[in-house]
Amino acid sequence: MTTAPEVQDLIDRLETEADQERDPAETPDVGIIMGSDSDLDVMAGAYEALEELGFAEQTDFENPPESRFTFESYVVSAHRTPELMYAYGETAADRGIDVIIAGAGGKSADLPNMTASIAYPIPVIGVPVQEKSVDSVIGMPTGAPITAVDAGKSFNAGLSAAQIISREHGEIEQQLVAFHDSQLSDVGEVSKELHDLGIDGFRERDE
Ligand code: RP5
């Protein structure tokens, strides 16, 4: 099987970065990969969750953004570029990645589960991009673990990645708690409004 030069360039880049032994504080903490750029709209929830928690996107491995916590993203196709999938999974630890979020669609959504096997023991959170992808993402045999969210729930994948990182970083734990608290107060506010305005008043308030 031939490797396209553009793909080989990416593989070389990943391997070069892995050899740099960079300070983990300067490398991406979360790697987001997806089978196609057509998955981006669904996968955007992971970016939103991480940004909500103070993560910034790192687009240059050698020049990290100011934020201490970062994520990166790549398109990696399990079936069209398996060699890139291997390179990403195999270099992830040396590139300082702590957790991978992997999304794929279609009935053979193999990127999350294959990456989980290759990158082990780095945790991989699988995102089935479509409903029909759920079985292939979560269907791992005993001894080959993957964590997964429901179809399309990439926001939760971002939160789960942050939860893993928060066990060693109190700053992220605080951000997670603040996010949770804001959700609780939203429910509290709307509950009080529904009660105090009554159903008709509640329905009319935004008209
Ligand atoms: C698209 O093809 C899906 O959304 C999937 O993520 C992507 C990649 O599939 P493979 O190239 O790995 O087969 O339909």
Side-chain angles (χ1 to χ4, degrees):
M1 182 176 166
T2 54
T3 302
E6 295 81 359
V7 173
Q8 190 58 53
D9 281 353
L10 280 179
I11 293 171
D12 294 345
R13 178 201 281 197
L14 294 171
E15 288 173 350
T16 303
E17 291 172 355
D19 289 340
Q20 289 177 6
E21 297 185 1
R22 290 213 163 245
D23 177 353
E26 295 180 355
T27 62
D29 303 285
V30 183
I32 302 175
I33 54 174
M34 62 200 81
S36 164
D37 60 342
S38 64
D39 298 332
L40 192 52
D41 284 350
V42 172
M43 294 302 290
Y47 296 66
E48 285 161 23
L50 290 169
E51 283 179 345
E52 172 96 30
L53 299 170
F55 287 72
E57 185 166 12
Q58 183 163 354
T59 56
D60 184 341
F61 192 78
E62 285 160 30
N63 289 300
E66 262 180 40
S67 172
R68 162 62 187 86
F69 297 98
T70 56
F71 63 89
E72 66 168 8
S73 53
Y74 279 108
V75 170
V76 178
S77 162
H79 304 121
R80 290 171 290 150
T81 63
E83 63 280 65
L84 180 57
M85 174 180 68
Y86 268 93
Y88 194 85
E90 285 173 345
T91 59
D94 287 340
R95 295 180 63 250
I97 304 281
D98 291 319
V99 50
I100 296 172
I101 296 173
K107 273 183 112 174
S108 296
D110 291 320
L111 179 68
N113 52 47
M114 287 304 299
T115 302
S117 293
I118 298 163
Y120 183 90
I122 292 180
V124 173
I125 302 166
V127 181
V129 166
Q130 296 168 302
E131 199 71 44
K132 65 184 174 187
S133 319
V134 173
D135 286 353
S136 66
V137 170
I138 67 175
M140 292 283 273
T142 300
I146 190 167
T147 298
V149 296
D150 200 3
K153 293 285 191 291
S154 65
F155 193 93
N156 281 353
L159 293 180
S160 297
Q163 284 180 292
I164 291 168
I165 288 168
S166 76
R167 303 318 298 150
E168 283 199 8
H169 295 285
E171 310 95 293
I172 298 298
E173 185 172 6
Q174 282 172 12
Q175 293 279 359
L176 282 162
V177 170
F179 173 73
H180 191 244
D181 287 352
S182 75
Q183 284 191 313
L184 299 189
S185 57
D186 286 351
V187 174
E189 259 173 50
V190 85
S191 178
K192 183 171 179 296
E193 280 175 15
L194 175 62
H195 178 270
D196 294 356
L197 295 172
I199 294 170
D200 290 340
F202 185 81
R203 281 184 170 146
E204 281 164 14
R205 76 186 169 150
D206 292 327
E207 287 173 6

